[in-house]
Amino acid sequence: MYHNSTRRIFEVARKEATRSTCVYRLGAVVVNKNIIGRGRNSKKSHPIMSNYAKWCHTNHILGTHAELHAILQPPYEKRNGADIYVCRVLLDDKFVMAKPCDTCYSIIKDM
């Protein structure tokens, strides 16, 4: 059983995921005592995503992933030491397993 605050965080991540227009709907929330960033994957590209994809030798990056979208919102001082929660939601609104891709994993480690 999740603690109420964890349940609330995943509910925010779920809402972000349902706003995605991508086939794979993911939402992410950055937490440092409170929610300081939230994001969803989108078809719009971002230069940071492209740069990391080249570094990770990955060519499948077509848009901005939820993790990057959420990480870019708070300033570095607030996100330093923060946690990130990621969820994937199917079209029928069921939760399914999700984990960061290699590119997002590198971004999370660096940011």
Side-chain angles (χ1 to χ4, degrees), residues 13-21 25-26 40 89-90 93:
R14 185 196 67 77
K15 284 181 183 176
E16 284 296 321
T18 60
R19 293 180 180 150
S20 172
T21 58
R25 302 183 316 158
L26 283 98
R40 61 191 162 283
V89 179
L90 299 177
D93 286 339

Side-chain angles (χ1 to χ4, degrees), residues 53-99:
K54 289 176 191 170
W55 183 77
C56 291
H57 307 292
T58 309
N59 293 325
H60 75 279
I61 310 302
L62 300 175
T64 301
H65 290 194
E67 297 92 334
L68 178 63
H69 191 213
I71 286 170
L72 290 177
Q73 291 180 359
Y76 177 78
E77 304 80 44
K78 288 189 176 184
R79 69 178 181 244
N80 189 20
D83 295 315
I84 187 164
Y85 295 79
V86 181
C87 79
R88 180 176 166 204
V89 179
L90 299 177
L91 292 176
D92 61 2
D93 286 339
K94 288 184 182 176
F95 283 104
V96 291
M97 297 294 287
K99 70 174 189 172

Side-chain angles (χ1 to χ4, degrees), residues 1-17:
M1 188 69 121
Y2 288 113
H3 189 272
N4 283 339
S5 61
T6 304
R7 184 179 298 276
R8 186 178 67 81
I9 290 165
F10 274 110
E11 181 59 27
V12 172
R14 185 196 67 77
K15 284 181 183 176
E16 284 296 321

